[in-house]
Amino acid sequence: VLLNTTIAGYEFDNCLMNAAGVCCYDHEELTMVDQSSAGTFVTKSATKTSREGNPLPRYQAVPLGSINSMGLPNLGLDYYLDYVRQLEKQTKKTYFLSMTGLSKEETLEMLKQVELSDFKGMVELNLSCPNVPGKPQLAYDLPTTENLLTEVFAFFTKPLGVKLPPYFDIAHFDAAAEVYNKFPLAFVNCVNSIGNGLIINDETVVIKPKNGFGGIGGDYIKPTALANVHAFYQRLKPSIKIIGTGGVKTGRDVFEHILCGASMVQVGTALEKEGVEIFARLSQELTEIMQEKGYQTIEDFRGKLQYLA
Ligand SMILES: O=C(O)c1[nH]c(=O)[nH]c(=O)c1Cl
């Protein structure tokens, strides 16, 4: 049984990796993922310059998942770009660089910098951060998203995918897929946290920013994540691969994301709780499921979700 996968012609020896925002803030965390069983890593979404992010407490784990309103704390694009370029000199692995500008100009400026660099990995353009006060999740505004992607692909030639928020309406799946199908995207990553949830302890919110409103991850969001993975798998041209993110904590969850069409599966909340050894456990559990079912590679069952007649 092999757990390798391919996106935009780039091979990964394992179809598991971290989700942006988790275990990817600095060299230390990125090295932990890089040296784990994960096939690669994605960096914390970078802005042009480093950011403190929102006031603490801004993350809270709970039995069924997590809530966060981090507010894009990161060490700035140069930090992550320099680190990944240095790693690329030592290995042939393909890494993901996540980024999001707080304006169209900032996004284009960062992508121009990446385009001019000798970075050899993939960009995950985050169109779905729910936690910057005053900044809506871009991918819920399809005309603006289409405009941005048009300007991006006017000059950007390296592999680039987008991190999407969950959509909840079939009409939105249709309209969003119509936009994304217009562009040479390497992938879409479904889903980011479900924005602006609220978790209460006794009579009080559990995080400080935004009166306790934050992105929800974990068990709460797996059905939504699987639906988004499958909806875009059904609608997007085959050249745009799907990365599945949301609610993964067992090999069975990984199996389901792949069954829905995912070519790569990211782990967020469960990675935050368990640490990087989760990648070995998930790989083992997925391997056992595949052996049981007689699947040799993930292509034997990717996207093969059965419907009821
Ligand atoms: O608050 C954050 O930093 C954050 N939190 C999320 O749950 N998703 C994101 O894309 C981002 Cl950028």
Side-chain angles (χ1 to χ4, degrees):
V1 167
L2 287 172
L3 303 184
N4 60 303
T5 191
T6 307
I7 293 182
Y10 293 80
E11 267 275 338
F12 301 89
D13 64 8
N14 188 297
C15 59
L16 292 163
M17 61 186 287
N18 68 300
V22 181
C23 201
C24 57
Y25 178 76
D26 58 15
H27 291 178
E28 183 190 3
E29 292 187 343
L30 289 164
T31 302
M32 285 167 61
V33 179
D34 193 34
Q35 295 180 349
S36 75
S37 304
T40 186
F41 65 60
V42 58
T43 62
K44 169 64 188 173
S45 293
T47 45
K48 183 119 185 66
T49 56
S50 65
R51 278 173 56 91
E52 285 287 307
N54 291 338
L56 298 165
R58 59 194 186 183
Y59 176 88
Q60 180 62 52
V62 292
L64 296 178
S66 67
I67 185 167
N68 90 84
S69 188
M70 310 300 285
L72 258 176
N74 73 96
L75 294 169
L77 176 63
D78 293 348
Y79 178 93
Y80 301 106
L81 185 54
D82 292 350
Y83 180 59
V84 169
R85 285 172 55 231
Q86 176 205 323
L87 274 186
E88 286 174 341
K89 292 184 174 60
Q90 296 150 20
T91 81
K92 287 180 298 306
K93 274 166 94 168
T94 299
Y95 297 103
F96 289 71
L97 194 61
S98 174
M99 67 182 69
T100 183
L102 297 180
S103 67
K104 180 170 78 169
E105 293 66 33
E106 182 183 350
T107 297
L108 294 173
E109 199 183 317
M110 286 195 284
L111 287 171
K112 281 188 177 98
Q113 180 182 340
V114 172
E115 179 68 13
L116 290 176
S117 77
D118 59 1
F119 169 65
K120 289 189 279 300
M122 297 198 186
V123 167
E124 183 175 279
L125 183 56
N126 185 351
L127 302 180
S128 45
C129 177
N131 299 321
V132 178
K135 303 295 294 178
Q137 293 172 80
L138 198 61
Y140 284 151
D141 175 347
L142 290 174
T144 304
T145 296
E146 180 169 354
N147 172 275
L148 172 65
L149 292 177
T150 301
E151 296 200 33
V152 166
F153 285 109
F155 68 89
F156 198 77
T157 64
K158 298 181 184 214
L160 179 142
V162 288
K163 179 69 174 286
L164 301 179
Y167 297 96
F168 298 92
D169 188 306
I170 301 297
H172 295 168
F173 291 140
D174 292 339
E178 193 177 330
V179 169
Y180 301 129
N181 271 328
K182 293 177 178 177
F183 301 101
L185 290 162
F187 64 89
V188 299
N189 182 343
C190 301
V191 293
N192 208 317
S193 54
I194 294 181
N196 296 297
L198 194 53
I199 293 183
I200 299 168
N201 175 21
D202 189 18
E203 299 182 1
T204 310
V205 301
V206 299
I207 56 173
K208 179 167 183 177
K210 297 170 59 176
N211 294 329
F213 283 63
I216 303 295
D219 298 2
Y220 296 114
I221 77 166
K222 191 176 88 169
T224 295
L226 292 176
N228 275 261
V229 166
H230 196 55
F232 283 102
Y233 175 75
Q234 290 172 302
R235 291 167 172 78
L236 295 179
K237 56 191 178 186
S239 59
I240 304 180
K241 296 297 180 230
I242 316 293
I243 295 182
T245 307
V248 175
K249 68 179 186 188
T250 67
R252 172 74 202 174
D253 300 324
V254 181
F255 178 79
E256 291 176 5
H257 268 275
I258 296 167
L259 195 67
C260 289
S263 291
M264 178 76 82
V265 178
Q266 296 186 345
V267 188
T269 297
L271 169 60
E272 178 67 34
K273 290 182 178 182
E274 186 168 329
V276 293
E277 59 273 20
I278 193 170
F279 292 116
R281 176 173 68 80
L282 295 175
S283 299
Q284 181 53 38
E285 291 173 1
L286 176 61
T287 295
E288 284 162 9
I289 292 169
M290 289 170 68
Q291 280 168 335
E292 233 163 75
K293 291 168 172 286
Y295 296 135
Q296 298 301 312
T297 72
I298 67 172
E299 287 309 302
D300 290 343
F301 65 98
R302 183 171 67 86
K304 300 218 166 58
L305 176 65
Q306 304 291 309
Y307 306 139
L308 295 175

